Amino acid sequence: MPPPGAIAVPRPLRPAAFKCGPAAGGAGDDTMGRALGTLGCLLLLLPLLPAVPGSPHRLRRQPRPGGRLSGSQAADTACKNRPLDLVFIIDSSRSVRPEEFEKVKIFLSEMIDTLDIGETTTRVAVMNYASTVKVEFPLRTYFDKASMKEAISHIEPLSAGTMTGLAIQTAMEEVFTEEMGTRPASFNIPKVVIVVTDGRPQDQVQDVAASAQTAGIEIYAVGVDRADMQSLRTMASEPLDEHVFYVETYGVIEKLTSKFRETFCAANVCALGTHDCEHVCVSNGESYLCDCYEGYALNSDKRTCSAVDMCEPGRHDCDQICMSNNGSYVCECYEGYTLNPDKKTCSGAITSSLITTEESCKCEAIAALQDSVTSHLEALSTKYILFLT
């Protein structure tokens, strides 16, 4: 017994302590005992069963229509990066120690985890530079995260010089080409470069960066530790406060992952539940439009909906009569007509009706009476004429 005021915590059940079969159901081997034993065993084992896809253990409560999502759900469903042709250019010069270079590779892998990688979504290339430039893999090589991260794990530093301008020039001339996987300009896919460096470029960066930006390449500059801030600002796209990042050490470079996620995120306002549409929210890039269910029309405020008269000319397809019914309608027919199975058209009603046996007998009796009366009248008429004669 627990001491007064203490809460009794049940000891966890161990699989070895479970008893299954007839003994668990009680004495005897009767059918009921065996059934109870099996049922008890299943009930005991149920909490230990692994959750499988589609099982109730894996189901999460879905938000009600129009309701807001929790923070984690909103991040999963409402923030999906727009398609990009993205090139990472990483500095592996002598100043980057081996353990620091490993941190850069972890940063790249975590960045890839935040992106929608795929042939039709975001494509990624990685370039490695020092005094020379090496294209580790172009945009056309990998379209899944696992293969991409595996390739990154095998990248080795080059360990000499810091030719940042040459790296950007190589990206522009050799990587951002359709032969290497860049999508045609008609696709309107943004071309983006993220340069990660901890030093000062040993070549000219300003002119080549300007040429790249003129060619439609957006450049983000990430400086670490000893990186020259003026050089970062020279190579980065405008506005600089959105394209230049700095961290004190490679040990904290991973903190930039969430920042880039926000930068590349195309927020789905409809999924976030922050819209004010009465019926339907339609995502429109970073904005949204309101729409209405069938049978309703959007009001002038572009948010609320009102039921429309579906029996207005041109809205319905009834052959004869349209009856409005709360945003919908039903068809009916004029008197003497019947509604066809298509529930729209009408046919003329059958004027003759079936006569029951009882009604038929009545008709025959009336006809016989009429014949009898006619015969009597004719006989009287004959006698009367003879009498006058």
Side-chain angles (χ1 to χ4, degrees):
M1 294 291 291
I7 299 175
V9 179
R11 296 175 62 185
L13 295 172
R14 295 177 296 175
F18 294 157
K19 292 183 179 180
C20 304
D29 293 332
D30 58 281
T31 303
M32 182 61 73
R34 288 195 297 272
L36 291 174
T38 303
L39 177 61
C41 207
L42 290 173
L43 291 174
L44 288 173
L45 288 171
L46 184 59
L48 300 177
L49 292 175
V52 295
S55 71
H57 299 283
R58 293 288 297 272
L59 296 177
R60 292 188 297 176
R61 185 194 308 177
Q62 298 297 318
R64 291 177 298 175
R68 299 198 177 196
L69 299 170
S70 66
S72 61
Q73 288 175 309
D76 290 341
T77 62
C79 189
K80 194 171 185 178
N81 79 275
R82 60 188 184 273
L84 305 171
D85 283 341
L86 174 61
V87 177
F88 289 100
I89 301 178
I90 56 175
D91 180 357
S92 66
S93 59
R94 187 178 296 109
S95 61
V96 183
R97 292 185 287 272
E99 63 271 18
E100 293 175 335
F101 193 70
E102 290 301 313
K103 291 287 186 181
V104 175
K105 294 196 290 185
I106 292 173
F107 166 65
L108 295 187
S109 293
E110 293 189 351
M111 279 290 298
I112 287 169
D113 280 333
T114 69
L115 301 170
D116 299 313
I117 301 297
E119 186 173 2
T120 60
T121 51
T122 292
R123 300 182 180 184
V124 172
V126 174
M127 298 174 59
N128 186 9
Y129 81 98
S131 57
T132 59
V133 178
K134 180 181 180 183
V135 179
E136 297 291 347
F137 56 84
L139 295 165
R140 70 183 182 188
T141 305
Y142 302 114
F143 299 125
D144 67 282
K145 296 182 181 182
S147 300
M148 201 173 288
K149 291 163 67 174
E150 177 68 17
I152 289 171
S153 70
H154 296 297
I155 296 176
E156 296 292 336
L158 301 175
S159 301
T162 312
M163 304 297 285
T164 310
L166 177 61
I168 296 174
Q169 185 77 29
T170 303
M172 180 171 54
E173 295 179 352
E174 298 182 18
V175 179
F176 283 114
T177 65
E178 292 186 30
E179 293 76 15
M180 298 297 280
T182 300
R183 282 162 284 191
S186 59
F187 283 36
N188 293 319
I189 304 294
K191 296 190 286 288
V192 178
V193 161
I194 298 178
V195 180
V196 181
T197 181
D198 75 337
R200 180 192 298 271
Q202 295 175 345
D203 57 358
Q204 293 298 319
V205 172
Q206 185 172 2
D207 289 344
V208 67
S211 297
Q213 292 170 33
T214 300
I217 300 172
E218 186 178 8
I219 301 177
Y220 291 86
V222 176
V224 184
D225 194 12
R226 300 168 296 276
D228 178 57
M229 289 301 297
Q230 183 55 43
S231 298
L232 297 177
R233 296 173 66 86
T234 298
M235 72 178 81
S237 299
E238 295 284 351
L240 295 179
D241 59 345
E242 296 180 6
H243 291 81
V244 177
F245 302 98
Y246 176 81
V247 290
E248 294 80 4
T249 67
Y250 282 102
V252 295
I253 192 173
E254 297 167 39
K255 292 182 178 179
L256 294 179
T257 305
S258 59
K259 180 63 180 176
F260 275 109
R261 177 180 172 81
E262 294 174 3
T263 300
F264 297 146
C265 174
N268 185 337
V269 180
C270 293
L272 287 171
T274 57
H275 62 87
D276 54 1
C277 299
E278 183 180 14
H279 281 189
V280 181
C281 178
V282 181
S283 181
N284 183 22
E286 296 182 0
S287 185
Y288 67 96
L289 299 171
C290 296
D291 201 354
C292 301
Y293 300 133
E294 186 177 359
Y296 292 80
L298 195 65
N299 294 326
S300 58
D301 60 9
K302 303 300 181 183
R303 297 183 300 104
T304 60
C305 303
S306 297
V308 298
D309 184 2
M310 296 301 294
C311 288
E312 290 180 357
R315 289 189 180 274
H316 66 88
D317 51 4
C318 295
D319 186 23
Q320 294 186 358
I321 301 173
C322 175
M323 300 293 291
S324 185
N325 183 23
N326 192 27
S328 184
Y329 68 95
V330 293
C331 299
E332 294 185 359
C333 300
Y334 299 133
E335 186 176 356
Y337 291 82
T338 57
L339 194 63
N340 292 326
D342 62 8
K343 302 299 182 182
K344 299 175 182 179
T345 60
C346 300
S347 297
I350 300 174
T351 54
S352 61
S353 59
L354 294 176
I355 301 175
T356 64
T357 302
E358 182 180 357
E359 290 174 337
S360 177
C361 292
K362 290 180 180 178
C363 289
E364 291 177 359
I366 292 172
L369 178 61
Q370 289 177 339
D371 290 341
S372 176
V373 171
T374 302
S375 298
H376 282 293
L377 288 175
E378 289 178 350
L380 289 173
S381 177
T382 302
K383 291 180 180 180
Y384 178 73
I385 292 173
L386 292 172
F387 175 76
L388 290 177
T389 305

